[in-house]
Amino acid sequence: MSFYRERLPEGGLRSLDEVGSLPFTTKEDFRANYPFGLFAVPREEVVRLHMSSGTTGRPVVTGYTRHDLELWAECMVRVMEYAGVTSRDVVQNAYGYGLFTGGMGLHLGAEAVGATVVPTSSGVTQRQVMLMRDLGTTVLCCTPSYALVLAEALRGLEGREGVRLRVGIFGAEPWSDGLRGQIQTHLGLEAFDIYGLTELGGPGVAAECSRHEGLHIFEDHFYAEVVDPDTGTPLQEGRPGELVLTSLRREASPVLRYRTRDRTVLTSEPCACGSPYRRFLRVQGRTDDMLVVRGENVFPSQFEELLAGFAGFNGQYILVVDRQAHSLDTLEVRLEADTADEQRLEQEIRDRIRDSIGLTVTAKVLRPGVLPRSEGKAKRVVDHREAVGTP
Ligand code: DLL
């Protein structure tokens, strides 16, 4: 319970401007203090835990007091309101329920606005599609990559006949406007982006309004900064960098200046929707997911955006990075597409990527259905370079 007491100045802070002078909190701090070391209330006051495991290391744990759950619900209601969800809606929640914050978080908001919640959790795709039709689902909540899987399943089963979807609330992983277009067309809904992370209590840190021009940060709950990822120096608005978040009201697991590793841009330009909250632009990706290929820094979402412009591409792709001993990095874009002329499409994709991203790559067109599908967060990068070592 003393972690932040030692980091805060005597007498506390007088204004939000002083937050920028505090030390950062990192994922390593969470791991080193696993499970309860960062909690600020006695364990008896904690009524809920959530966590994320990641691929390596100890899980990241976050706790909620009863009041924290009310605050979370307040943020999630706002997400629903931004997307126009009301008590007239049937919300099918296909985010995973359990330790992951997505399922329970979206559930909280949908129930609080009085919608009829169908807690399907993720997976069992055929049943999702059946329930969507039978129950007249109007709002779908899941990761964008799972939305794509559901769209595919729907096409295989009598198409959109009898489907009443109108809104999708998609997040928990980076996605491009190109993918948004595909999902909207195939599912016949308006897609809203929602952002959050376990360390700050889950979804409901920021969300899109109906303008879809960035995500409004719920600044009465969270204080946002963007810093230079290399030096940690705060950047002016409009400059891309790493998002750093401070919780302002959480009791059990308060967080000061958390280095999210997510890359975005802050803006205080007023939004036509009238929301008082500043926005950040769509999160491009995590610093850890940024690929450095032959010295070029690229995010998978940049490839996704380009690929979405090609007819026949169904949204499924992976990037395979490799390095032959003592030679340069190679990047192959493997994608599924329905086309009569694969070689021509591969050539067009190579050219487009070279012209827009400035990277020479190879492209491999695969038959639809070959790549693994994701029920949660998709894995878009396969990097074989670690095994070879640096040249
Ligand atoms: O993904 C919480 C969440 C659940 C958000 C449901 C939205 C909807 P974690 O598993 O801890 O928590 O992962 C957090 O996912 O740091 C980002 O890298 C990424 N992420 C989350 N939302 C978005 C988004 C949940 N809208 C990590 N766009 C974050 C891009 C996102 N990346």
Side-chain angles (χ1 to χ4, degrees), residues 46-111:
V46 177
V47 298
R48 172 93 68 82
L49 297 175
H50 279 291
M51 41 190 108
S52 63
S53 54
T55 41
T56 52
R58 292 159 151 186
V60 163
V61 180
T62 191
Y64 309 76
T65 60
R66 212 168 281 288
H67 183 57
D68 287 333
L69 288 182
E70 286 165 17
L71 295 177
W72 194 13
E74 195 180 305
C75 292
M76 293 310 298
V77 163
R78 208 174 283 168
V79 172
M80 296 291 154
E81 285 172 353
Y82 275 22
V85 179
T86 69
S87 59
R88 287 188 295 279
D89 283 299
V90 175
V91 177
Q92 188 160 330
N93 187 10
Y95 282 107
Y97 279 68
L99 291 174
F100 178 52
T101 51
M104 305 283 276
L106 273 291
H107 187 110
L108 211 55
E111 209 166 68

Side-chain angles (χ1 to χ4, degrees), residues 52 95 100-102 106 171-174 193-199 202-203 260 262 283 286 377:
S52 63
Y95 282 107
F100 178 52
T101 51
L106 273 291
E173 61 182 355
D193 195 358
I194 171 175
Y195 172 88
L197 61 168
T198 312
E199 292 84 338
T260 64
D262 292 326
V283 171
R286 297 175 62 78
K377 301 181 191 237

Side-chain angles (χ1 to χ4, degrees), residues 178 182 296 298 301-313 319 331 333 335 343-363:
Q182 288 196 322
E296 207 65 49
V298 282
S301 55
Q302 289 174 268
F303 290 90
E304 186 180 289
E305 181 69 30
L306 281 187
L307 294 176
F310 288 93
F313 171 57
L319 306 176
L331 190 151
V333 181
L335 66 145
Q343 282 184 350
R344 178 150 165 226
L345 182 57
E346 287 169 356
Q347 179 67 48
E348 283 174 7
I349 289 171
R350 277 201 302 267
D351 292 349
R352 183 82 64 87
I353 291 174
R354 195 198 48 231
D355 294 347
S356 318
I357 302 181
L359 260 186
T360 306
V361 304
T362 52

